[in-house]
Amino acid sequence: MRDPNRLQEMEVFLAVVDEGSFSAAALARQMTPSAVSKMMTRLEQRLGIPLMRRTTRQIRLTDEGMSFARSARGVLAALDQAEREVGRGPVAGIVRIATSAAYANHILAPILPGLLQRHPELEIELVIGDGLVDMGGQPIDLAVRAGPLPNSAMIARSLGTSEVITVRAPDTVEGSVGFAYARRDPIWREASSRVRATDGNTIAALALHGNGSARVGNFVVREELASGRLERVSGGAAREEFHVLYLGKAAALPARVLAVVEHLVREGRVDR
């Protein structure tokens, strides 16, 4: 049977390394300096090598001590990870994400393969639409939304800021393409459009095919601008924040949901 005090010895040894003295480590660990000293002596005797050189002023690690410190940190980090995974459960099951077609097509679709390869038992279900979703009343785990945040119990993590620009095809009819409903953010308020749609991705497609100029997020038309299929109309640029929203604290999220949140925050920004 392994000695249960070995983990404690590692923790106290690292406290000595981090704090720089037995007395400071004792204070951090709520022990007496003599108890710390005895534990370090016992550790060195069991290993059969000196881990540190003690002087009246400071403690210096030996080469073996530095190597053991690195290994000990790895062992304790692995233990913490194991406990977190057991506490939250496996990254498995369905995560339902409410998001716009623009974000789903241009940001989410390219970054999903990495997430799915890392977690083979994870499933993603997308609920597409530009309108707000009542997360408390529907089986939605996460929502990706642009613009001002509603006052609610939802927690928000930033996905960056998108530039909103006006674009048009080189040969386009007069007039504009816009939303078929009133957007909350005033940056979208403009004169009535001849052609209207309920989502930004369709508006971009309508502009691409010459149905009029349109205000869109830059990330939605980045490739079309680079190829010359769309051109930017001068003036009128604005910025719009994107967030991933969820109910409750991150520490209480199921592992499957937290894994998706962290992936979106890391890889799913709109301002890359």
Side-chain angles (χ1 to χ4, degrees):
M1 176 181 284
R2 296 179 184 272
D3 185 349
N5 290 327
R6 290 169 68 179
L7 285 176
Q8 184 184 19
E9 288 175 350
M10 285 185 182
E11 292 174 335
V12 173
F13 170 69
L14 291 176
V16 172
V17 173
D18 294 337
E19 301 296 334
S21 70
F22 285 0
S23 58
L27 184 62
R29 297 286 303 176
Q30 297 183 332
M31 300 169 64
T32 64
S34 62
V36 170
S37 179
K38 290 177 181 178
M39 186 172 288
M40 292 301 94
T41 298
R42 186 168 64 246
L43 174 61
E44 289 180 321
Q45 288 175 346
R46 192 179 73 252
L47 295 176
I49 53 171
L51 298 175
M52 57 190 77
R53 307 289 184 191
R54 305 164 179 79
T55 68
T56 55
R57 294 186 177 181
Q58 60 184 347
I59 290 176
R60 290 185 179 276
L61 292 182
T62 63
D63 289 345
E64 293 79 9
M66 288 188 285
S67 177
F68 185 73
R70 286 192 296 270
S71 298
R73 292 190 197 279
V75 168
L76 294 176
L79 177 61
D80 288 343
Q81 179 65 24
E83 290 179 343
R84 284 195 298 270
E85 290 178 355
V86 169
R88 290 192 180 125
V91 180
I94 301 173
V95 175
R96 295 176 177 86
I97 307 172
T99 185
S100 66
Y103 186 87
N105 280 267
H106 299 281
I107 302 295
L108 189 54
I111 67 170
L112 272 183
L115 177 67
L116 297 174
Q117 288 171 3
R118 191 158 57 250
H119 303 295
E121 297 181 29
L122 182 67
E123 300 175 32
I124 301 295
E125 188 171 297
L126 301 180
V127 180
I128 303 300
D130 278 15
L132 290 176
V133 173
D134 178 13
M135 294 179 64
Q138 297 189 39
I140 300 295
D141 298 296
L142 303 171
V144 175
R145 284 293 172 254
L149 294 175
N151 294 324
S152 70
M154 291 186 290
I155 307 298
R157 298 278 300 276
S158 176
L159 298 177
T161 303
S162 169
E163 186 181 21
V164 176
I165 59 176
T166 302
V167 298
R168 54 175 285 157
D171 296 313
T172 189
V173 300
E174 291 297 321
S176 64
V177 181
F179 281 95
Y181 64 95
R183 297 288 297 268
R184 292 174 301 130
D185 196 324
I187 66 174
W188 296 101
R189 293 173 189 166
E190 54 186 348
S192 178
S193 301
R194 293 182 65 189
V195 182
R196 295 176 291 278
T198 57
D199 75 276
N201 209 52
T202 300
I203 288 173
L206 288 166
L208 179 63
H209 291 282
N211 291 283
S213 62
R215 287 177 69 75
V216 295
N218 186 63
F219 71 88
V220 179
V221 294
R222 189 177 294 126
E223 294 181 4
E224 287 75 12
L225 288 171
S227 67
R229 297 170 66 197
L230 282 175
E231 57 189 23
R232 183 167 176 169
V233 178
S234 61
R239 304 194 75 80
E240 183 176 50
E241 290 217 32
F242 275 68
H243 295 88
V244 56
L245 310 175
Y246 53 89
L247 293 170
K249 297 181 179 179
L253 289 177
R256 59 185 171 81
V257 178
L258 183 61
V260 176
V261 170
E262 296 300 334
H263 188 72
L264 293 183
V265 170
R266 185 174 58 252
E267 305 289 341
R269 296 181 62 87
V270 296
D271 52 9
R272 290 188 179 278

